[in-house]
Amino acid sequence: MTVRIKRVYDAPEASDGMRILVDRLWPRGIAKEKARIDLWLKDISPSDDLRRRFHARPESWDEFRTLYAEELEGDAGRIAAAELRRHIAEGPVTLLYAARDEQHNNAAALKLWLEENAPKPR
């Protein structure tokens, strides 16, 4: 599984592979052409309520990850995760996010969730 995370404001690179925006809101101040986003997968992002709660309390990282994982197990989350896994199987994927915190953001939480919930080899 080749999945990287990157701020959407950072310059695109050839090694990014498929660039997928995993934020519910379009990033402020960035033109679609400049961002070079291949797919905007809104349904894989945290709900507005969860996003706002985490933004207000960034120290609640572990709680955020737990609640976000629960959302990913819902219908919309499962469908979006299946689509994301299809793209990952095809080649490198870079999950794009807008948050300033490069360690604690929804893309980092999603990457950890994907690693923890990778399909088991048969």
Side-chain angles (χ1 to χ4, degrees):
M1 177 171 85
T2 305
V3 177
R4 297 174 48 199
I5 64 169
K6 186 177 198 178
R7 285 194 80 215
V8 69
Y9 301 103
D10 294 340
E13 299 173 288
S15 62
D16 288 345
M18 184 166 199
R19 294 169 51 87
I20 301 176
L21 179 62
V22 294
D23 284 350
R24 189 163 298 275
L25 304 174
W26 186 261
R28 289 182 182 166
I30 192 158
K32 290 183 181 184
E33 299 78 32
K34 183 178 179 181
R36 212 196 97 220
I37 293 170
D38 298 308
L39 176 65
W40 185 8
L41 197 54
K42 291 181 200 177
D43 287 337
I44 200 120
S45 63
S47 66
D48 286 332
D49 180 55
L50 181 56
R51 179 183 56 80
R52 285 186 192 111
R53 285 185 1 197
F54 180 58
H55 183 72
R57 293 182 37 236
E59 71 278 3
S60 64
W61 172 246
D62 292 332
E63 177 186 13
F64 169 76
R65 283 192 57 214
T66 298
L67 294 172
Y68 185 28
E70 289 174 11
E71 289 186 354
L72 290 168
E73 296 299 327
D75 291 339
R78 281 196 321 258
I79 292 167
E83 181 177 356
L84 178 56
R85 284 186 175 112
R86 281 193 300 276
H87 292 295
I88 292 168
E90 293 171 3
V93 166
T94 298
L95 305 177
L96 302 171
Y97 64 95
R100 287 189 179 107
D101 187 332
E102 296 182 10
Q103 304 293 319
H104 305 99
N105 59 68
N106 62 301
L110 177 58
K111 184 176 188 287
L112 289 169
W113 181 85
L114 286 165
E115 291 167 353
E116 293 166 357
N117 294 280
K120 307 292 184 243
R122 293 182 178 207

